[in-house]
Amino acid sequence: MATKSSNLYVRIEPEVKEKAESILATLSISVSGAINMFYKQIILQRGLPFEVKIPSTRPVDLFLM
């Protein structure tokens, strides 16, 4: 079966792109490979593969835990 591809165009902050690509290069993962993995995880998880929530407005007091 032949591999098909599709183009994806996104806007991202230059600093975020630079830092992420540096990490991916260290891991020997291409940007395309990382995005493909991310999309596959969205399919497997049937949603984002991480929790998305509004952060607490107050810092957590570790001594109360």
Side-chain angles (χ1 to χ4, degrees):
M1 180 163 79
T3 302
K4 295 182 181 182
S5 65
S6 181
N7 293 327
L8 176 68
Y9 299 97
V10 298
R11 291 186 172 272
I12 190 162
E13 297 170 25
E15 185 177 321
V16 171
K17 180 180 181 284
E18 190 176 301
K19 287 179 179 179
E21 286 178 355
S22 175
I23 293 167
L24 290 171
T26 301
L27 297 169
S28 298
I29 299 172
S30 69
V31 174
S32 293
I35 292 170
N36 197 40
M37 285 186 252
F38 177 62
Y39 271 43
K40 286 182 178 185
Q41 282 300 309
I42 290 171
I43 294 165
L44 287 170
Q45 301 292 324
R46 298 180 49 88
L48 292 176
F50 48 83
E51 190 172 328
V52 178
K53 63 181 183 176
I54 298 169
S56 174
T57 56
R58 296 183 317 178
V60 176
D61 188 345
L62 296 177
F63 292 108
L64 295 177
M65 293 180 84

